Amino acid sequence: MAQIEIRLPKMGESVTEATITNWLKEVGDTVAMDEPLVEVATDKVDNELPSEAAGVLVQKLFEKDQVAQVGDVIAIISTDGDAAPAAPKAEPAAVAAVAETVVAAQAVASNGGATLDKNSGNGKFISPLVRSIAQKESISMAEIDSISGTGTGGRVTKKDILSYIDNRVAGGSVAVAAQPAAAVTTSAPAASNGAAPVVSGGSSFLSNIKEPVVIPNPGDEIIEMDRMRKLIAEHMVMSKHVSPHVTSFVEADVTNIVNWRNKMKKEFEKREGENLTFTPIFMEAIVRAIKDFPMINVSLSGNQIIKRKDINLGMATALPSGNLIVPVIKQADRMNLTGLAKSVNELARNARDNKLKPEDIQGGTYTVTNVGTFGNVMGTPIINQPQVAILALGAIRKMPAVIETPEGDFIGIRHKMFLSHSYDHRVVDGSLGGQFVRRVADYLEQFDINREL
């Protein structure tokens, strides 16, 4: 019987592991070549992995929510259609279940035979391990019912009950006093590839910071953070800790751009089959300004400043889930307006449809976020590490403005917007940060109304 090992492939620079989030095929199912087999998630992006062979799935070596390393065998496919599934190995979940039973038995013995029911008052199953922990800590069934479980169907897990115990005080109440932030240090220098500085004291940055424990009030809804939201939170806290943020604001008159786009968008769509949004026009001006001020396009590694050769623009994109992702336009300085427009549209579509590849969100050297999409006139964006600056585009609004002419000044209606430029004060001083965003505004205001596509 011919068997093919399906290994977790390399999924981009610096990605060494992935979490199995969903098997699309079960043992015994027929699988076609290149047919999606399993969904995996990295710290960068979610992906469907296609099958590398046609046949029958005979073994899954990792279960849902388990972490596999790049190169690990995650499944075995038999190329003989009638092949029987291989004898399964003892799975970690089964081993854990046995361990739970043993621990529970020991707990019952030590408590003189007293035990909690396997189902809570609200009908949810309580595992032997959770019951044994509850008995050891004298936690009542009513208290277990009050714990918001993160397991399947709201089941209380070991992590849930240990977290409850950590915050529990006499009488079953929960401590609410805010804890002081723990001292956190960063290693130096950082990796030579421009990766963000490594935080000492644990694998998770947020795990080193003590946050206040909040007691929900009656009727409050408790929503567990999904994996992406946790990653975003961790990345943002790290960025604010690592970089002293400064933000400069400039107002730009974009009347020429608005009028030109209104005139050209139908022709562009007819010729290119794509919508012409404001984003690529703004990106073009930003690229030109980066060429004028290349020290904005840098990263900091310890005491070394890495000056980037390529201009790779990240564009912060809101997902339907409410989360945020930053796909990257690679070598944006080599594209004309049409190329930028197509890249912007393609990356935005793929982000919304969850079709981004790992390489689509790597390698950014400068990021742009469009807060105007949500009607905001300006913002103070957080730097996307290991970059040193980020630009927020505010909403375009019709505003009364003084217009200077040879015949005198008068009041007119103009389209205006604010540009908010946040930068890392370790390497970007106010003069550079302010001049850069002013130069972007200048390029926008000088846009040629008679420009051809």
Side-chain angles (χ1 to χ4, degrees):
M1 179 176 67
Q3 293 187 338
I4 304 297
E5 294 181 340
I6 306 299
R7 296 180 180 273
L8 184 67
K10 184 172 175 59
M11 292 178 290
E13 180 185 0
S14 78
V15 177
T16 61
E17 64 182 24
T19 301
I20 306 297
T21 56
N22 186 35
W23 282 99
L24 304 176
K25 294 289 184 178
E26 295 299 329
V27 171
D29 288 351
T30 300
V31 184
M33 174 73 78
D34 294 329
E35 183 179 6
L37 177 65
V38 62
E39 294 177 347
V40 301
T42 71
D43 60 348
K44 303 289 186 182
V45 71
D46 296 348
N47 262 346
E48 285 185 352
L49 298 184
S51 174
E52 300 173 10
V56 175
L57 177 62
V58 296
Q59 193 170 358
K60 297 187 296 184
L61 300 179
F62 288 84
E63 293 300 324
K64 183 178 178 181
D65 295 332
Q66 288 187 325
V67 177
Q69 302 296 314
V70 170
D72 282 352
V73 178
I74 61 174
I76 295 177
I77 291 179
S78 169
T79 56
D80 300 330
D82 57 351
K89 297 189 296 184
E91 293 296 331
V95 176
V98 173
E100 286 189 6
T101 304
V102 172
V103 171
Q106 293 172 340
V108 170
S110 64
N111 286 341
T115 183
L116 293 171
D117 292 338
K118 66 179 181 180
N119 293 319
S120 67
N122 55 23
K124 294 179 181 177
F125 174 73
I126 307 175
S127 71
L129 180 58
V130 170
R131 275 181 276 156
S132 70
I133 294 172
Q135 289 169 326
K136 286 181 179 180
E137 299 294 333
S138 300
I139 296 176
S140 67
M141 185 65 77
E143 286 184 81
I144 295 178
D145 283 341
S146 70
I147 299 173
S148 179
T150 60
T152 304
R155 179 173 60 84
V156 175
T157 65
K158 174 185 176 183
K159 178 181 177 182
D160 297 330
I161 196 165
L162 291 179
S163 176
Y164 177 81
I165 292 169
D166 287 342
N167 299 306
R168 184 172 176 257
V169 295
S173 60
V174 181
V176 295
Q179 301 295 322
V184 183
T185 60
T186 57
S187 63
S192 59
N193 62 0
V198 177
V199 180
S200 65
S203 60
S204 170
F205 184 84
L206 291 184
S207 67
N208 294 290
I209 298 179
K210 301 298 183 182
E211 300 180 17
V213 177
V214 180
I215 301 177
N217 294 321
D220 289 350
E221 181 182 5
I222 300 174
I223 302 172
E224 184 71 15
M225 278 189 182
D226 60 24
R227 185 184 61 85
M228 182 174 286
R229 176 50 53 187
K230 291 176 182 177
L231 290 171
I232 292 171
E234 188 165 320
H235 193 60
M236 294 298 97
V237 172
M238 179 272 290
S239 182
K240 290 292 285 187
H241 171 80
V242 168
S243 298
H245 282 55
V246 178
T247 306
S248 296
F249 304 90
V250 168
E251 189 176 32
D253 186 329
V254 292
T255 305
N256 285 352
I257 291 175
V258 172
N259 292 338
W260 180 84
R261 175 181 172 272
N262 289 338
K263 180 176 67 173
M264 304 300 293
K265 61 183 180 180
K266 288 185 178 179
E267 178 185 339
F268 185 86
E269 184 176 6
K270 181 179 179 180
R271 190 185 80 181
E272 304 293 340
E274 296 277 359
N275 291 328
L276 179 61
T277 65
F278 287 109
T279 301
I281 302 173
F282 297 150
M283 292 291 197
E284 182 184 52
I286 292 166
V287 167
R288 294 177 66 188
I290 290 176
K291 288 181 178 179
D292 294 342
F293 298 97
M295 290 306 292
I296 286 292
N297 198 49
V298 304
S299 291
L300 186 62
S301 177
N303 293 323
Q304 296 179 330
I305 298 174
I306 301 173
K307 188 177 178 183
R308 303 296 187 179
K309 176 182 177 182
D310 294 329
I311 299 176
N312 299 334
L313 291 185
M315 42 177 277
T317 305
L319 300 174
S321 63
N323 290 324
L324 188 72
I325 200 164
V326 186
V328 178
I329 303 172
K330 303 292 177 57
Q331 297 181 329
D333 49 317
R334 301 185 183 185
M335 296 183 183
N336 59 17
L337 184 59
T338 299
L340 286 171
K342 290 186 174 183
S343 293
V344 165
N345 291 344
E346 180 181 12
L347 289 172
R349 279 194 301 268
N350 289 343
R352 289 192 296 268
D353 297 338
N354 197 28
K355 293 182 178 179
L356 289 174
K357 301 174 183 177
E359 57 266 27
D360 290 335
I361 57 173
Q362 295 175 348
T365 63
Y366 187 90
T367 296
V368 182
T369 179
N370 191 350
V371 299
T373 302
F374 313 106
N376 301 155
V377 295
M378 64 175 67
T380 54
I382 298 176
I383 297 165
N384 186 17
Q385 299 291 335
Q387 300 164 29
V388 300
I390 181 172
L391 184 68
L393 306 171
I396 299 175
R397 301 176 299 154
K398 289 184 178 180
M399 301 289 292
V402 175
I403 301 173
E404 298 179 356
T405 70
E407 291 75 29
D409 299 343
F410 68 93
I411 301 294
I413 304 298
R414 307 292 290 178
H415 293 272
K416 292 199 169 189
M417 67 182 295
F418 282 102
L419 308 176
S420 310
H421 188 220
S422 292
Y423 43 94
D424 187 339
H425 213 335
R426 293 177 301 168
V427 289
V428 181
D429 292 328
S431 58
L432 174 57
Q435 288 180 74
F436 172 81
V437 68
R438 181 63 257 177
R439 185 64 55 84
V440 174
D442 290 342
Y443 282 134
L444 296 178
E445 292 180 343
Q446 295 163 8
F447 191 88
D448 184 4
I449 190 68
N450 298 314
R451 177 176 176 174
E452 298 293 332
L453 279 172

